[in-house]
Amino acid sequence: MNRLELDALRPHFDDLDWQFARFIEGLNGGSGGLFLAALLVSHRTGLGDVCLDLEAAGGGNINELVELDGPGFALPETAGWVEELRQSPLVCGADGKAPLVLDGKGRLYLYRYFLYERSLARDILSRYARLCDDVDTELLNDGVKRLFGPGEGELDYQALAAIGAVVRPFSVISGGPGTGKTTTVVKVMALAAEQFLKKGRQPLIAMAAPTGKASRRLRQAVEQALETLPCDDAVKARLPREATTIHRLLGSRWDSPYFRHGRENPLPHDMVLMDETSMADLPLLSKFFEALRPDARVILLGDRDQLASVETGAAFGDICAGGGEIRESIPYTPVKKAPSPAGSIVILKKSYRFGPESGIGRLAAAVREGDFTAVKDVLENDSFVDVRWRRLPPPGGLAGALEEMVLDGYGAYLLAPDPGAALAAMGNFMILSPLRRGPWGAHNLNMSVEFILKRHYFIESGEKWYRHRPVMVNVNDYGSGLFNGDTGVVFPGEESDGPRAYFEDEGGSLRALPPSRLPSHETCFALTVHKSQGSEYDRVLLILPGRYSPVLTRELLYTAVTRARKFVAIWADEAVMKKTVEAVTRRASGLRDLLWPGPASDGSDVP
């Protein structure tokens, strides 16, 4: 590796990565190894890794970390590279403070992300190896029997998850769509409220999710579950009817990446529930735990097999990595010995949505296991009426191939008479792509859909703010009160005052904004799979690109398939599908090692 080779890398990195590396190099007096390490750790953090794993990268080709056009070059050997970095005053160990942190296992971090990871690990470890000492066992067992039934027959993992969430200050409930996570957590909140009310306390419970769309789905699911919940009205009155975004819960500041609530000003709630936790990146999850009272109960819901967050880390997957060791029993019997941390995590596997005859259920299971033979068997089995597979049409024939599905899938939406009906009909159908750009990317798919609709006179040619245009916000904008993932629909405003974009607020009411007030947004007849997280649709069309890309993984495919409630069609070539099923998302991180090092820890030994 020489200076010419380093300079040849310039076109493949963002300005921020390159200037950061030059800044570090300048402070250090011109070390090539440090320049390269700073460049790569900044680049990989931007791609979702929390750190640069020098043990894995050392001696390999730079092409394994950066997509280059040519053959690349060999990276320094790990031992020499690590030693060079340790000699620099700009690199510190776990107990120091410097722009770069090198831990004892050869992982190099940007200082801020090292702090996020260690902070989250300490907060979780301080919670999940202990029990709450104020649980009324008789009241809990009576409530579990009433809410979940007598417990005869096979082990009821929902009931076990509920018991764990009441007796532990930290719990995780993971499961795929239709496994009853929301139903379970409503019962958890009822059981916890009964405990508080028995002691004469009025519990304060909050529900949140990473995006506005996910929080609205959570609210709707909880409202539905509350209708048939067998408990006293006094208990129901203490359960939350609203769900919010994590940013709103923590108190966003428009001029700062930090929040109003933190260690010095914790949230007042006795119990906090986070849904769709896999969508939360490491910094957000770290700040969330910092804002919790030490004695508050926290419940994380999600699907560990879904895509990791768009931003840095795969924190939920790391948290779930060592779980599933059930220690609670039905009925619950308190134990005196220290509880197993693994018992904080319950994996729900039984699907109440997809039975044995469901192609979607079998397809999702085969993808999750990385079994392409089983995937192909399901897709080619005509007895499954809820899945279809066809080979990818050429880019020039895309609009023609899409026409029938677009007109059928979006028919009810395009005929909706008002914004409320249109927003409700958005859940009927969605086109998904792994990519944003390219012939089969979401951007081009949206243009193809608009072309079809113009040809059939559903929208006016040349009109940008046409009636029924679906729009999705892709930034957090505190001024307008709209957040990343919020979805709206364009309709004419009242009294001829021009087009308006209508959005549903957290309470279910509609609010209208003129186009000029909308933050960054995009048309959303088609979405990337990442953008679809937190949503479900009756019917889904997934279009994979003609060539394999590193973003294609089994987690992405699983996420796309499980967005469908009733039907999923996949357009993909077999070779691309096979590579996608076999590829696994890997994000460099030290969180898993910190949480699951072996013997139980209370977090005090995390530096």
Side-chain angles (χ1 to χ4, degrees), residues 2 66 120 167 244 284 348 360 399 419 423 461-462 501 515:
N2 54 48
V66 185
L120 179 59
V167 305
T244 186
L284 182 60
L348 302 180
I360 295 176
L423 288 171
S461 182

Side-chain angles (χ1 to χ4, degrees), residues 262-276:
R263 294 201 194 281
E264 302 303 319
N265 180 32
L267 292 164
H269 302 89
D270 302 293
M271 173 179 278
V272 183
L273 157 74
M274 181 191 293
D275 196 15
E276 298 289 354

